[in-house]
Amino acid sequence: MSRYSLSEFVEKTEQEDRGQGLFELETDRLLEVNLQQQIWAKAGSMIAYEGQIKFVREGILEHGIGKMFKRAFSGESTALMKATGRGKLYLADQGKKISIIRFHNDTLCVSANDLLAFEPSLKWDVKLMRKVAGIVSGGLFNIRLEGEGMAAITTHYEPLTLKVTPDKPVLTDPHATVAWSGHLQPEFVADVSFKTFVGRGSGDSVQMKFSGEGFVVVQPYEEGGYVQQN
């Protein structure tokens, strides 16, 4: 086989079954879902599929009145689609790196923009960071996942997990914060003196402060979509 031939390209990039279960990484930036029944996925994340799969955008009343009102405020960043059927489904989100997490009665809060897919066996809810609404335009949204099942989250480049301990709180840039352990309650700290030195604009004088026992996941990228721009 000649180097750089078409057949070599096809062989190197051809889909490969790894037998890893419902979720498996076809590449670091492409999630393969071996669908048997149903999953939830970020709206617009489907790039290809084979088999008998039906896609339905999440109904505004599908999860009750409470989530309906949260949807009205959170907008497209938390929009989900339901994939139902049998076949292979391929998901991606702007070439971001994908990490698969298996929950065993765990709880995790994920930035609404960084949740790619999850099993319906996981309980979930949309959370609004109300205290930041007066500081950062539009407010800040995350999705709380808990229970048993699998989920896939995305990051720009490699994620970094920082341990939070009672004697060592962690402060992060909201635009670079991806996820945190579910029992942590971040508070928002405004420090105008940081404005000149950190990040890109006036909003960067706000940090998320995590105190207690747990962890927080950040990415080496400030994601503007993390904060709603309505």
Side-chain angles (χ1 to χ4, degrees), residues 1 30-31 38 42 76 80 112 118 129 160 168 188:
M1 182 186 301
L30 202 159
L31 179 70
Q38 177 185 312
K42 185 175 184 178
E76 290 300 307
L80 298 172
F118 60 95
M129 298 297 197
L160 173 67
K168 193 174 80 171
F188 291 86

Side-chain angles (χ1 to χ4, degrees), residues 4 8 12 27 36 78 113 119 130 191 198 222 227:
Y4 303 130
E8 181 187 26
K12 283 185 175 181
T27 72
Q36 298 295 322
T78 62
N113 202 44
E119 287 190 81
R130 301 181 190 279
D191 189 338
V198 181
E222 291 183 84
V227 176

Side-chain angles (χ1 to χ4, degrees), residues 78-100:
T78 62
L80 298 172
M81 65 178 181
K82 181 166 52 178
T84 307
R86 297 176 65 88
K88 289 188 180 295
L89 170 61
Y90 299 94
L91 304 175
D93 185 12
Q94 301 179 30
K96 293 163 69 176
K97 180 179 175 62
I98 300 170
S99 299
I100 298 173

Side-chain angles (χ1 to χ4, degrees), residues 25-228:
L25 292 178
E26 188 63 32
T27 72
D28 286 346
R29 304 175 190 279
L30 202 159
L31 179 70
E32 178 182 298
V33 182
N34 296 299
L35 190 63
Q36 298 295 322
Q37 294 181 337
Q38 177 185 312
I39 64 155
W40 287 103
K42 185 175 184 178
S45 62
M46 186 275 291
I47 61 167
Y49 72 94
E50 56 186 52
Q52 300 299 315
I53 301 177
K54 181 180 180 181
F55 301 93
V56 179
R57 190 179 180 87
E58 175 193 14
I60 193 166
L61 289 173
E62 186 160 355
H63 303 288
I65 296 294
K67 287 183 181 175
M68 178 192 76
F69 285 114
K70 292 175 185 178
R71 278 283 179 266
F73 285 105
S74 59
E76 290 300 307
S77 70
T78 62
L80 298 172
M81 65 178 181
K82 181 166 52 178
T84 307
R86 297 176 65 88
K88 289 188 180 295
L89 170 61
Y90 299 94
L91 304 175
D93 185 12
Q94 301 179 30
K96 293 163 69 176
K97 180 179 175 62
I98 300 170
S99 299
I100 298 173
I101 301 170
R102 185 182 295 276
F103 287 69
H104 294 293
N105 290 319
D106 301 305
T107 305
L108 184 71
C109 293
V110 185
S111 154
N113 202 44
D114 298 321
L115 180 60
L116 181 62
F118 60 95
E119 287 190 81
S121 59
L122 287 171
K123 297 178 182 178
W124 65 278
D125 196 9
V126 179
K127 298 292 184 180
L128 167 62
M129 298 297 197
R130 301 181 190 279
K131 292 183 181 179
V132 81
I135 304 173
V136 179
S137 175
L140 194 63
F141 296 91
N142 65 83
I143 297 180
R144 180 185 174 92
L145 299 172
E146 60 181 317
E148 294 278 344
M150 298 181 73
I153 66 173
T154 60
T155 56
H156 286 279
Y157 313 107
E158 299 292 332
L160 173 67
T161 298
L162 301 171
K163 292 288 185 68
V164 180
T165 60
D167 62 336
K168 193 174 80 171
V170 174
L171 287 88
T172 66
D173 181 339
H175 297 271
T177 306
V178 174
W180 58 91
S181 42
H183 57 279
L184 291 180
Q185 296 292 329
E187 60 178 310
F188 291 86
V189 181
D191 189 338
V192 178
S193 66
F194 281 5
K195 185 163 75 171
T196 307
F197 305 104
V198 181
R200 298 169 301 190
S202 59
D204 293 308
S205 61
V206 178
Q207 298 94 43
M208 296 176 74
K209 182 178 181 180
F210 295 87
S211 303
E213 193 81 40
F215 62 86
V216 58
V217 183
V218 294
Q219 61 184 359
Y221 183 92
E222 291 183 84
E223 191 165 22
Y226 187 95
V227 176
Q228 284 295 107

